[in-house]
Amino acid sequence: MPSKPAPITMDAVYTAPGYLFRRMQQIAVALFVEECRAFDLTPVQYGSLIAIHSHPGIDATRLSAVIAFDRSTLGSVIERLEAKKLIERKPSPGDKRVKLLYLTKAGATVLRDIMPSVEKAQARMLQPLKPADRKVLLSLITQLVDLNNEASRVPLRAEDALEHLGKAG
């Protein structure tokens, strides 16, 4: 006699890794926005500022590879950062069609000043866990991200992008 199929319940959603990752992303963004409210930056804008600070003169295509963010969407992020006067675009000496990105003094100040708030948001994400469990979680998430990089719509390509800048490292 065939066994009765298991009932379909919301547990099929609530226990799925993809659902849990999406929920954690929502929580992470909410905590970031809450802690960094005074700076009016999104996590992607913050990541972009870090990358531009670390690699002055990076172009949008390479920035996209460095932060693993969709190039077409990144254009609006860059526009918002420029409108806030946190970055500036300058034509590349080798190709005037290519715009190179640089932090402004205001951008460098915001980046310096936001760091304690970002650190607080990051700590709040992990705070409910015991310190040993935080290390295990971060280790496992890092492995999953690294091992599944190629499955992403926008795989992380930091080394390739930075090699073209002559600033790998």
Side-chain angles (χ1 to χ4, degrees), residues 3-22:
S3 63
K4 190 175 176 182
I8 298 173
T9 67
M10 285 305 295
D11 283 346
V13 174
Y14 296 151
T15 61
Y19 173 81
L20 293 169
F21 291 141
R22 183 183 66 79

Side-chain angles (χ1 to χ4, degrees), residues 51-71:
I52 294 166
H53 166 78
S54 299
H55 308 289
I58 195 168
D59 63 70
T61 299
R62 286 179 179 72
L63 177 60
S64 170
V66 167
I67 65 171
F69 197 76
D70 177 67
R71 172 64 182 92

